[in-house]
Amino acid sequence: MLTKTQFKEQLEGIYTEQILQDRDDTKVAYFEDARLLVHLTPKASITQGTGATLLVARIEYSDIYNEPTLYIQLLKQEVGQNGLETSSHPKVKDMNKFLPDEYKTLFVVQPEVLDSSVWWCFHQCDTQEIVGRSDRNSDRYLKRWMSVFLFCWLNV
């Protein structure tokens, strides 16, 4: 568990350190109001399985669980004949099938509606069992969390 203050400080530190921005698959990252949005190139298995050309990762704090929360959204971006870019949401029934085998049983991934669109939420209920307790090395808790929850979606 992290306090909201610890979460904000650690998330801002991750953003300031350019941990995600320096990755080759990162297109853009935004940090605002204790929330991090990262636009990434999806790994090949996701693109092949869904047609998605953009993976949006959203990291924010859960006041209920006192844990970070990861939301994933897939988008298919295309340029129309008029030259305008359009985005659509590929239909995905089960996001778990795109996880590496060693992660498939770790996470509960469910669709949720945020800001009027569907996101895939990694449920926070087992976070401490997955990541380890936050009372040890609490200043690195969010980095440990990201190494499990977020990096399993990326080409690492």
Side-chain angles (χ1 to χ4, degrees):
M1 285 188 203
L2 285 177
T3 67
K4 196 166 193 169
T5 301
Q6 289 172 314
F7 173 80
K8 286 180 181 181
E9 290 170 356
Q10 289 182 34
L11 191 63
E12 186 171 7
I14 287 167
Y15 182 76
T16 303
E17 291 173 32
Q18 305 274 317
I19 290 172
L20 293 168
Q21 298 93 311
D22 287 345
R23 295 179 51 87
D24 290 339
D25 53 1
T26 298
K27 295 182 178 190
V28 66
Y30 307 95
F31 176 72
E32 182 180 298
D33 194 34
R35 177 173 44 197
L36 182 63
L37 285 170
V38 185
H39 293 201
L40 301 143
T41 302
K43 59 186 176 180
S45 62
I46 293 174
T47 299
Q48 292 165 359
T50 67
T53 58
L54 182 67
L55 183 149
V56 182
R58 176 176 173 162
I59 300 168
E60 56 188 56
Y61 187 75
S62 168
D63 289 314
I64 295 170
Y65 290 95
N66 297 318
E67 292 286 0
T69 304
L70 173 64
Y71 297 95
I72 296 284
Q73 187 176 69
L74 299 178
L75 295 171
K76 183 178 182 180
Q77 297 179 309
E78 299 175 299
V79 177
Q81 290 180 340
N82 58 4
L84 297 176
E85 189 174 286
T86 61
S87 295
S88 61
H89 298 274
K91 292 184 182 186
V92 179
K93 292 182 181 180
D94 181 11
M95 285 294 281
N96 277 326
K97 73 180 186 177
F98 299 110
L99 284 168
D101 289 338
E102 63 270 21
Y103 291 98
K104 287 183 179 181
T105 59
L106 280 181
F107 303 121
V108 175
V109 185
Q110 299 173 320
E112 282 190 21
V113 176
L114 295 173
D115 302 329
S116 303
S117 62
V118 175
W119 293 77
W120 290 89
C121 175
F122 283 67
H123 202 273
Q124 312 88 340
C125 59
D126 295 326
T127 301
Q128 283 198 31
E129 289 78 23
I130 295 169
V131 176
R133 292 180 24 205
S134 63
D135 57 352
R136 294 185 204 135
N137 300 315
S138 63
D139 58 327
R140 299 188 41 81
Y141 185 75
L142 192 55
K143 286 182 181 177
R144 286 196 335 261
W145 175 88
M146 284 178 59
S147 73
V148 177
F149 279 77
L150 179 61
F151 291 161
C152 67
W153 287 96
L154 308 178
N155 294 318
V156 290

